[in-house]
Amino acid sequence: MEASSVTFAGLSCAEVLAGAWFFRELEPEQIERIATLGRIERYPRNNAIYNLGDAAENFYVLFDGMVRFTIGLGSRQTSAGQILRRGEVFGWAALVGHAQKRIATSYCITPCTVVALNGNQLLDLMEHDHSVGYHLMKQLNVLITGNLTSFAAG
């Protein structure tokens, strides 16, 4: 993995976040504050960004590439997986207070570039700016509900 705090393809972290559905309704200055918590990371094809059981430290926005996201139960992974594309977010366990471990694996199908946001710092920002916190919790609810519905449907 290669990390950078500057830009990717001429875009800043804030510009990448502004293009993601999860952050779209926030004001530009709110997105800028969130972007200060992020860094751009690059992963090669066939690389896990995180595995089931890893510490849930970061929340991710996929900027480029494709990621397979599979939820696990105990030590078992689901045979099905959701394919994530540009602008989608994953690693939501980092935004669930006291979630210490990953309940899923994210695996790069292609070379990938992501914005990694520190979960604890983002939770602190959300706690201090209730407008941001309320919006992101609504989005997180949609994300988790959609993921669970998708996996239950097969």
Side-chain angles (χ1 to χ4, degrees), residues 21-144:
W21 71 269
F22 195 82
F23 299 98
R24 276 203 182 125
E25 294 178 16
L26 293 175
E27 297 296 324
E29 55 275 357
Q30 294 172 317
I31 292 174
E32 285 288 341
R33 281 198 315 265
I34 294 168
T36 65
L37 309 177
R39 68 187 177 284
I40 293 174
E41 297 180 348
R42 294 172 181 87
Y43 293 89
R45 179 177 183 255
N46 297 327
N47 191 82
I49 296 174
Y50 58 80
N51 288 295
L52 177 69
D54 286 353
E57 296 173 357
N58 295 310
F59 178 66
Y60 298 93
V61 179
L62 182 58
F63 175 71
D64 191 42
M66 293 188 337
V67 169
R68 177 178 295 279
F69 176 80
T70 56
I71 291 182
L73 178 61
S75 62
R76 295 180 8 208
Q77 295 282 341
T78 58
S79 58
Q82 182 179 14
I83 304 298
L84 305 175
R85 291 176 174 77
R86 184 180 191 156
E88 295 188 80
V89 297
F90 59 103
W92 46 260
L95 298 184
V96 178
H98 308 301
Q100 302 295 315
K101 302 283 182 188
R102 294 286 181 196
I103 63 166
T105 294
S106 64
Y107 182 81
C108 298
I109 298 171
T110 65
C112 293
T113 302
V114 300
V115 173
L117 296 164
N118 181 284
N120 287 332
Q121 291 175 350
L122 184 52
L123 286 169
D124 285 345
L125 187 150
M126 292 163 62
E127 179 69 29
H128 290 92
D129 183 336
H130 293 168
S131 175
V132 170
Y134 178 72
H135 173 75
L136 295 185
M137 281 295 121
K138 285 192 324 183
Q139 296 296 82
L140 188 61
N141 183 36
V142 169
L143 178 66
I144 293 172

